[in-house]
Amino acid sequence: MKMNFLKLFATAAVIAGTIGGTSIAFAEKSGGILKFYHRGTPPSGSIHEEATSSTVVPYMSVFNNLVMFDQAKPVNSIETIVPDLATSWEWGNDKSKLTFKLRKGVKFHDGKPFTAKDVACTWNLILGKSKAKLRKNPRKSWYKNLASVETNGDYEVTFNLKRRQPAFLMLLASGYSPVYPCHVPPKKMRTKPIGTGPFKFVSLKQNEHVKFKKNDDYWKKGRPLLDGHEWTIIKSRSTRVLGLIAGKFDMSFAGDISIPIYKDLAKQAPHMVCEKHATNVSTNLIVNQFKAPFDNADIRKAMVLTIDRAAFNKILGHNEFIMGGSMLPPPHGVWGMPPEVLKNVAGYHPDVAANRAEAQKIMKKLGYGPDNPLKIKVATRNIAIYRDPAVLLIDHLKEIYIEGELDTVETSNWHAKVARKDYQVGLNLTGIGVDEPDAMFYENYACGSQRNYTGYCKEEMMALFEKQSMMDDGPERLKLVYEIDKKLQEDAARPIIAHNVRYNCFQPFVKGFKTMTNSLYNGWRFEDIYLDK
Amino acid sequence: MVSAEHKIEDSRTKVTQRSVWYKIKRLCQRYPLGAIGSFIVFIVVFAAVFADVVAPYDPTQTNAKMSLSAPSAAMLFGGDMMGRDVLSRIIHGARISLAVGIGSTVLGGLLGTIIGLMCGYFLGWFDLIIQRIIDMMQALPLLVMALVMAASLGPSLENTIIAISIPLVPQVARVIRSNVLSLREMPFVEAARSVGMSNGRIAFRHILPNTLAPLIVLGTAQLGSAILTEASLSFLGLGVPEPYPSWGRMLSESAAEYVRVAPWLVIFPGIAISAAVFGANLMGDAVRDYLDPRNQG
Amino acid sequence: MSAYVIQRVLLMFLTLLGMSVIIFVLLRLVPGNIVDIMFDSAGFVDPSEKATIEKELGLDLPIYQQYFDWITALLVGDLGFSFVSEMPAIDEIGPRIPITAKLAALSLFFSILFGLPLGVISAVRQNTALDYVLRIISLSGLSLPSFWLALLILMACVSYMGAIPIYTETPETLWDELLLYLLPSAAVGFRASALIMRLTRSSMLEVMRQDYIRTAMSKGATENAINYKHALRNAVLPVTTIIGIEAAFLIGGLIITETVFNIPGVAHFLVEAILMRDYPIVQSLVMFIAIIVVVINFLTDLAYAILDPRIRYS
């Protein structure tokens, strides 16, 4: 397995060396359908309206972005951004104005030409400025700083920002930032999406399949190599993994192979190539600071102290999960606090017994004890990946005289319940689209953001968010991000338990693909993949 | 067949003079499968009643070291994902399964019997109206009905019992009614009517005892099927929620996920469910044979 | 008799009308509406966007208005649009029905093929070794959780044959199709045949004890003639009820089996639609199932009347 990993890494490096790639060291083969399984029917085909890998993973290849993350490099960062529909870009006005030169001769799947107008339409749709409206707009918070989009002729477009934001380019490189055609209404984009990408949407049948076929008129010469890719929807994980073992599928679904399942796969199907990756999804605690007694910072601190992260990691991650703050630590991520910084953050000290003794003291001071426990409900979604850590959490809370009862909430009610702040303590999973502090902080910790479930809102933190956002990438910004993250953890804004790690497994004949390690949402363009059968 | 019945009558007169133990021994000899079934049911009931004493561990205590550990001397049936003892969880799970099984069978059976008897006996407009309601209830298959009910009531133990019992009502009622329909034309009922017995008396003296056999067959089959339906609802994500160690939930998603890595997570709860249902069914058969009015001569 | 048939047909419509009200109300009791679920994939709920979508879907109307709109559309054959896929509900449901129908027919065929004769044999050879073996087999069929059985079958297939019989694309030849449906329908049929066998046996025994059989016996009819002519004929009565109920009950087994074997049939689709609160789909499907069940019940009752001349209808 390790050998394969190294070999693939080498392949990836070679491919990466020839961006735009017409001449590649290995013999590429055209043709064939890549077969995936999918864990559930995608809610729709409109990437801008969804915030789930169920949609972005299969549909990303229908579209192009202005810029994208180099598909052959595992770690997304500002350095790995490459041209896509934009051929070049230029910052102006002290990085508060971003101008793109656009590719000529690009056509949408329905034959209509792509122009600057389509770019303007797409972001006006997100800003709510166009006549057509999105039903749902999950990435509004990403574009808080975007003032307007201007076209200069058919092949140039400028993004005017309200203030300096060098990381704006990162947001545009995500799989969540495709360019939509102006002439197709949002409803049609949900059911029969049209883009400029290497693959055309063919059909979606609920609980059955999603199919895509090659775009013969793709603007990139010689791409894509595949004739298409097809996804069989299988809800039961044991069934779909059995299918993978039996060779019915060429690749697993993004983030689906958990560590225990990987271990079984490695035994049952040792020929399979499995790449370990962080999903940039963290398991965390949400504490309702508006409800007594959790408005008391001391209780929140005690709760943070009693968490035995090693036990979580042992059970849920077979010791392969990554400890960190809100940002994913290196080597998988870019911005997370490394172990030497992390150990100074309250609650992260490895001596759990000492932490708990301190927590017990706090609780006793507040009048709780073995005979007078604090009875609470721990809410979580009724899905195994939420439920399992919640059970562990309840067990750890027992140590500090908190008697938790699990309150499993159906998926249908979860977000509504959390939005109403109708919970005491919850166990939650948080994923971000790009490994970028701007995306993380503004989405999850900023005042007024829809995904800020805990309602955490502090002026001083908002000022710090803005300060880091205006800085260029470099050691200084990194230092400030560490500092912010440490504060967020110590405030128990949303205590992070662990960053999840998964495997992406595929058959050895699948070439020209690299699993990204700090995002689940950006590496699915598929134009370079080929089948070496 | 005739000679067999004589033998039963012979043995019956003898039994009354002997001790209780002798009775049990004779019963076991006459109904060996029933004896096995009763023994299994006894074990399940025993486990449910004395779970706190019998179980080696606290069924909710997690233990990182024992996560997905194979069966060993420390944990006879191995450990689950959370390192909880599977054996202890199965022992405690007997409570939930019994509660769901007995609760829903009694609730559904009682309502169904009353409705079925009344419909079959009174016929006429009463039967018509009730039959329409039953038809409506029965127009949805058990699991579909239970699914809709479970979804609308929300997951909890009480709601699971109600959700599983309601679809049983029309099933019981319908079979009881059809039995009553053919029984009421039987010579012995006609005879009873001709000597001027009242309707109520006929229902209780003749019809009810005579519908007892199919009722018990149905009841025991449904005791088992209630446990199975609970497991199915859990499999579909709508069963008894997590803090309770229910067999169905143990078998459902999270266990099925580790079926290949830790087969004991699937095998032992599966065996527990199968055995309990099997035992209930065996016992039901024997009880039916024993209660059969024609066996009593 | 014909008056009875007309009466029953009218009552069937009444039942279905009542059913439509029940399912409509029941679905709307379910906490969490479709729009909340739609927002799940966005990771938040935006109240103003939610209100817009509700209006678009007509969920802001009073419930009686919604019911009236739905039922009048249904009567002219308009099933509406799926909330989830935004496609016409008929296009979502239609192609899935034959898949489930084939599976159900095959399962029912298996269950009657094995259940009925084995049940009779078991009753006739009551308390012999054969009877015991058959009873244990039928009981174990009723005792195994169906998804457990299905999962074990799948695991065995992968371990011993290296292949997995899950539905991945439309089968091309009849043989492929049969192969694909064989294991799932066997998994469903096993339980169903166990039930039929059990009922046939107890029903046979019941009838064999009754006075007229004894009378036949005392008149010197041979045992076989009695078993097959008199007893079976009367024993079939409750068994038809069960086969009728079973045909509908199969949907339950199919829900699980279609899920485990990933067959894109209508049973599996129904569960998904319930979980997603896709009202137009659930309502149409439930009405469809209800129509089938009501018709089967009606036919069962007719069979009663024909098979048991002692039952009189007035």
Side-chain angles (χ1 to χ4, degrees):
Chain A
M1 203 59 61
K2 198 156 190 188
M3 274 302 291
N4 275 331
F5 189 81
L6 285 175
K7 226 163 89 190
L8 226 112
F9 200 81
T11 317
V14 172
I15 296 169
T18 56
I19 297 164
T22 36
S23 65
I24 278 186
F26 292 84
E28 290 170 345
K29 290 179 186 167
S30 295
I33 304 273
L34 189 62
K35 291 197 167 79
F36 292 86
Y37 66 75
H38 198 301
R39 55 178 189 185
T41 312
S44 84
S46 179
I47 292 179
H48 281 302
E49 298 203 38
E50 311 294 347
T52 168
S53 52
S54 284
T55 291
V56 78
V57 172
Y59 286 90
M60 186 178 155
S61 62
V62 172
F63 300 99
N64 286 113
N65 293 354
L66 287 169
V67 290
M68 66 170 173
F69 291 110
D70 187 337
Q71 297 290 300
K73 294 207 173 119
V75 181
N76 302 164
S77 76
I78 200 117
E79 278 96 41
T80 67
I81 294 178
V82 296
D84 203 10
L85 285 178
T87 49
S88 67
W89 58 92
E90 201 180 340
W91 281 102
N93 213 0
D94 186 31
K95 295 211 174 172
S96 65
K97 200 173 164 171
L98 183 56
T99 302
F100 294 95
K101 289 257 186 308
L102 303 179
R103 204 173 291 281
K104 289 173 188 160
V106 177
K107 278 193 182 124
F108 282 104
H109 296 158
D110 57 4
K112 300 247 168 62
F114 156 77
T115 67
K117 242 177 65 199
D118 296 302
V119 180
C121 274
T122 305
W123 273 271
N124 280 333
L125 197 61
I126 296 168
L127 291 178
K129 286 182 176 175
S130 56
K131 225 173 104 193
K133 293 275 180 249
L134 293 175
R135 264 182 167 183
K136 297 178 278 177
N137 194 353
R139 267 164 305 279
K140 230 188 277 176
S141 67
W142 279 18
Y143 298 104
K144 278 259 153 73
N145 190 36
L146 177 63
S148 65
V149 185
E150 254 174 60
T151 58
N152 326 307
D154 273 354
Y155 298 104
E156 198 179 287
V157 67
T158 302
F159 286 72
N160 295 312
L161 307 182
K162 291 174 187 161
R163 59 158 167 81
R164 184 184 155 86
Q165 189 187 9
F168 189 77
L169 199 61
M170 287 287 285
L171 305 179
L172 294 184
S174 166
Y176 277 132
S177 309
V179 176
Y180 276 18
C182 230
H183 59 275
V184 180
K187 178 174 174 167
K188 198 170 173 215
M189 291 304 283
R190 291 195 290 269
T191 51
K192 291 191 172 81
I194 282 173
T196 56
F199 294 95
K200 291 180 178 178
F201 169 79
V202 178
S203 64
L204 164 74
K205 274 188 103 177
Q206 285 191 65
N207 303 322
E208 206 168 322
H209 66 247
V210 198
K211 288 182 179 174
F212 302 87
K213 67 163 193 248
K214 180 180 185 170
N215 173 10
D216 289 316
D217 291 330
Y218 192 46
W219 52 269
K220 204 180 268 186
K221 283 268 139 32
R223 290 288 185 273
L225 294 161
L226 294 170
D227 285 339
H229 52 97
E230 295 179 3
W231 308 68
T232 303
I233 296 162
I234 305 183
K235 280 273 275 213
S236 153
R237 192 194 265 184
S238 32
T239 307
R240 62 196 187 225
V241 172
L242 285 172
L244 190 66
I245 292 173
K248 281 229 167 185
F249 306 111
D250 302 331
M251 199 186 284
S252 59
F253 187 78
D256 193 53
I257 305 293
S258 69
I259 290 155
I261 289 173
Y262 158 70
K263 288 188 169 163
D264 178 47
L265 259 180
K267 252 188 282 164
Q268 299 296 322
H271 60 279
M272 206 160 283
V273 183
C274 289
E275 297 184 329
K276 183 178 169 178
H277 64 98
T279 53
N280 221 335
V281 172
S282 68
T283 302
N284 51 58
L285 198 61
I286 48 176
V287 183
N288 190 340
Q289 311 183 13
F290 300 102
K291 263 207 177 131
F294 302 100
D295 49 350
N296 183 337
D298 286 342
I299 286 200
R300 299 205 303 268
K301 188 177 176 198
M303 288 169 74
V304 170
L305 285 170
T306 191
I307 295 173
D308 180 357
R309 290 188 170 79
F312 272 98
N313 195 1
K314 169 82 183 37
I315 293 180
L316 301 174
H318 288 225
N319 289 329
E320 293 191 38
F321 278 5
I322 304 158
M323 297 299 117
S326 60
M327 300 300 298
L328 179 69
H332 295 92
V334 176
W335 300 97
M337 295 180 275
E340 63 272 18
V341 180
L342 202 60
K343 70 170 191 275
N344 298 320
V345 180
Y348 281 83
H349 196 278
D351 188 351
V352 177
N355 291 347
R356 282 190 179 157
E358 195 189 332
Q360 283 167 353
K361 235 187 268 164
I362 296 173
M363 292 302 287
K364 277 190 178 146
K365 219 173 80 192
L366 292 168
Y368 300 106
D371 306 320
N372 179 29
L374 170 59
K375 289 193 176 156
I376 63 163
K377 283 201 164 183
V378 176
T380 201
R381 281 172 82 165
N382 197 10
I383 310 176
I385 51 168
Y386 282 72
R387 227 168 32 219
D388 290 353
V391 170
L392 285 175
L393 176 72
I394 286 172
D395 209 36
H396 293 180
L397 290 175
K398 233 192 300 184
E399 303 284 333
I400 57 163
Y401 324 122
I402 298 178
E403 224 171 71
E405 192 195 325
L406 193 68
D407 175 19
T408 47
V409 183
E410 289 313 307
T411 288
S412 48
N413 302 329
W414 172 248
H415 287 294
K417 189 179 168 96
V418 170
R420 283 199 309 271
K421 305 271 185 296
D422 177 20
Y423 68 97
Q424 293 180 300
V425 172
L427 192 123
N428 183 50
L429 262 64
T430 302
I432 53 166
V434 271
D435 188 19
E436 162 56 45
D438 278 11
M440 173 60 86
F441 297 153
Y442 283 104
E443 219 172 274
N444 299 313
Y445 299 96
C447 304
S449 161
Q450 282 166 319
R451 301 190 70 175
N452 181 358
Y453 303 137
T454 58
Y456 177 83
C457 174
K458 277 191 174 173
E459 297 243 329
E460 50 177 297
M461 294 308 287
M462 289 301 282
L464 286 175
F465 295 162
E466 188 157 328
K467 191 175 166 197
Q468 67 79 29
S469 172
M470 291 172 71
M471 291 163 84
D472 278 311
D473 282 14
E476 275 187 31
R477 185 175 184 219
L478 192 64
K479 219 181 114 204
L480 183 57
V481 169
Y482 287 174
E483 207 177 290
I484 293 171
D485 209 348
K486 181 166 187 270
K487 280 213 172 87
L488 290 174
Q489 297 315 308
E490 291 182 342
D491 270 357
R494 189 188 283 206
I496 305 295
I497 294 168
H499 285 272
N500 297 348
V501 168
R502 291 291 155 106
Y503 282 83
N504 188 41
C505 296
F506 46 88
Q507 305 290 354
F509 54 75
V510 177
K511 307 279 188 197
F513 176 79
K514 183 80 208 138
T515 311
M516 289 183 177
T517 69
N518 61 342
S519 159
L520 201 56
Y521 311 103
N522 305 332
W524 315 104
R525 183 57 59 75
F526 300 143
E527 58 191 27
D528 300 319
I529 294 191
Y530 62 98
L531 304 175
D532 188 17
K533 278 191 189 168
Chain B
M1 225 162 87
V2 177
S3 64
E5 295 214 351
H6 279 299
K7 255 189 236 161
I8 298 161
E9 276 167 33
D10 286 351
S11 67
R12 255 168 220 293
T13 46
K14 271 179 210 158
V15 159
T16 47
Q17 293 146 15
R18 306 291 169 98
S19 69
V20 179
W21 282 111
Y22 182 78
K23 266 188 192 170
I24 292 175
K25 202 180 143 199
R26 283 307 302 261
L27 277 176
C28 290
Q29 280 170 350
R30 274 201 23 90
Y31 305 107
L33 289 181
I36 294 169
S38 310
F39 183 67
I40 295 172
V41 171
F42 173 75
I43 290 175
V44 175
V45 174
F46 183 84
V49 174
F50 297 103
D52 294 325
V53 188
V54 183
Y57 297 94
D58 174 352
T60 60
Q61 180 68 49
T62 64
N63 179 353
K65 281 196 201 82
M66 301 303 281
S67 174
L68 297 179
S69 63
S72 65
M75 285 186 178
L76 282 180
F77 286 3
D80 71 0
M81 173 75 176
M82 302 291 155
R84 297 173 298 197
D85 181 35
V86 172
L87 175 60
S88 303
R89 289 178 69 72
I90 287 180
I91 292 172
H92 279 267
R95 287 185 174 172
I96 303 298
S97 287
L98 270 189
V100 170
I102 294 177
S104 62
T105 307
V106 168
L107 196 66
L110 212 63
L111 280 173
T113 307
I114 293 170
I115 293 172
L117 270 177
M118 288 169 88
C119 287
Y121 200 84
F122 295 122
L123 290 176
W125 61 269
F126 178 83
D127 177 48
L128 273 181
I129 292 173
I130 297 292
Q131 276 301 304
R132 273 341 89 203
I133 296 172
I134 285 182
D135 278 353
M136 286 175 207
M137 285 170 83
Q138 208 173 19
L140 277 190
L142 181 109
L143 196 59
V144 177
M145 193 73 176
L147 255 177
V148 177
M149 295 292 299
S152 56
L153 294 172
S156 80
L157 178 60
E158 298 77 17
N159 291 346
T160 304
I161 291 176
I162 295 171
I164 293 176
S165 77
I166 285 182
L168 299 191
V169 176
Q171 277 204 330
V172 174
R174 211 180 158 82
V175 173
I176 292 288
R177 176 179 174 271
S178 77
N179 259 284
V180 174
L181 274 186
S182 38
L183 275 175
R184 58 183 275 139
E185 308 296 331
M186 287 285 170
F188 63 92
V189 174
E190 277 170 12
R193 195 174 288 139
S194 67
V195 297
M197 256 198 196
S198 75
N199 281 344
R201 254 185 90 139
I202 292 173
F204 281 92
R205 285 293 294 275
H206 292 278
I207 299 207
L208 199 56
N210 277 293
T211 51
L212 213 55
L215 180 63
I216 285 173
V217 179
L218 218 82
T220 50
Q222 280 166 351
L223 170 74
S225 95
I227 296 176
L228 286 178
T229 308
E230 190 266 326
S232 302
L233 283 177
S234 291
F235 176 77
L236 298 169
L238 286 164
V240 181
E242 174 66 51
Y244 304 102
S246 99
W247 294 341
R249 179 160 288 289
M250 290 173 76
L251 247 187
S252 74
E253 204 185 331
S254 49
E257 202 156 295
Y258 302 111
V259 59
R260 301 181 47 81
V261 192
W264 55 91
L265 287 184
V266 171
I267 289 170
F268 292 118
I271 289 175
I273 294 179
S274 310
V277 178
F278 190 64
N281 288 343
L282 279 180
M283 191 177 77
D285 272 10
V287 171
R288 184 208 56 189
D289 287 354
Y290 181 74
L291 287 181
D292 195 321
R294 276 163 299 267
N295 269 354
Q296 291 169 355
Chain C
M1 189 75 185
S2 67
Y4 169 72
V5 171
I6 292 166
Q7 189 193 17
R8 281 303 311 261
V9 170
L10 286 173
L11 287 174
M12 256 163 58
F13 280 104
L14 205 64
T15 306
L16 290 174
L17 199 67
M19 195 62 220
S20 72
V21 177
I22 289 179
I23 191 63
F24 195 85
V25 173
L26 209 55
L27 264 183
R28 275 151 186 82
L29 287 179
V30 178
N33 74 4
I34 169 74
V35 189
D36 285 332
I37 295 176
M38 285 171 143
F39 271 100
D40 175 61
S41 61
F44 66 92
V45 180
D46 182 309
S48 71
E49 287 171 7
K50 184 179 163 180
T52 316
I53 300 177
E54 277 179 349
K55 200 166 169 202
E56 197 183 308
L57 299 178
L59 293 171
D60 57 334
L61 298 171
I63 189 161
Y64 59 86
Q65 181 75 46
Q66 289 185 40
Y67 176 77
F68 185 75
D69 289 350
W70 168 58
I71 204 78
T72 45
L74 192 69
L75 285 176
V76 296
D78 175 9
L79 304 188
F81 285 78
S82 160
F83 287 170
V84 175
S85 70
E86 301 183 55
M87 303 295 249
I90 190 82
D91 292 352
E92 292 282 3
I93 296 172
R96 290 180 161 88
I97 289 175
I99 296 174
T100 301
K102 281 179 210 159
L103 206 54
L106 206 58
S107 308
L108 204 60
F109 172 72
F110 276 139
S111 62
I112 295 173
L113 187 70
F114 293 107
L116 211 56
L118 290 181
V120 172
I121 292 169
S122 193
V124 174
R125 302 270 167 267
Q126 192 192 7
N127 291 337
T128 61
L130 182 64
D131 176 38
Y132 276 70
V133 170
L134 288 175
R135 280 168 70 189
I136 287 173
I137 291 174
S138 80
L139 275 180
S140 58
L142 288 176
S143 309
L144 296 173
S146 53
F147 62 94
W148 195 54
L149 183 68
L151 213 58
L152 294 181
I153 290 176
L154 275 182
M155 276 172 69
C157 283
V158 173
S159 301
Y160 298 113
M161 302 192 299
I164 186 164
I166 47 171
Y167 196 102
T168 45
E169 55 215 287
T170 319
E172 269 160 24
T173 65
L174 194 70
W175 176 242
D176 284 350
E177 199 171 347
L178 199 65
L179 220 57
L180 210 57
Y181 287 128
L182 210 59
L183 279 177
S185 58
V188 180
F190 183 39
R191 190 188 152 77
S193 68
L195 200 66
I196 289 176
M197 181 171 151
R198 224 173 117 84
L199 255 120
T200 310
R201 179 181 182 273
S202 71
S203 186
M204 268 298 271
L205 289 178
E206 198 82 0
V207 174
M208 278 158 65
R209 286 198 202 94
Q210 278 164 5
D211 298 344
Y212 63 98
I213 299 284
R214 293 187 195 178
T215 314
M217 213 170 248
S218 64
K219 278 185 187 159
T222 66
E223 205 174 317
N224 270 343
I226 292 166
N227 285 338
Y228 295 108
K229 196 175 160 205
H230 297 278
L232 184 58
R233 200 187 132 141
N234 289 297
V236 155
L237 188 62
V239 174
T240 27
T241 326
I242 277 305
I243 290 176
I245 291 174
E246 194 60 17
F249 181 84
L250 273 177
I251 290 272
L254 289 172
I255 286 175
I256 298 287
T257 310
E258 286 185 4
T259 307
V260 177
F261 285 90
N262 206 52
I263 295 165
V266 88
H268 179 36
F269 189 50
L270 175 65
V271 180
E272 294 289 308
I274 290 175
L275 295 176
M276 295 296 284
R277 315 284 187 271
D278 195 345
Y279 299 154
I281 297 283
V282 180
Q283 284 161 190
S284 308
L285 265 182
V286 166
M287 286 313 289
F288 176 71
I289 293 172
I291 290 170
I292 289 185
V293 175
V294 167
V295 169
I296 287 177
N297 281 347
F298 169 64
L299 293 178
T300 311
D301 282 358
L302 272 189
Y304 253 70
I306 296 161
L307 286 169
D308 190 346
R310 285 168 301 137
I311 296 178
R312 293 185 307 258
Y313 292 96
S314 46

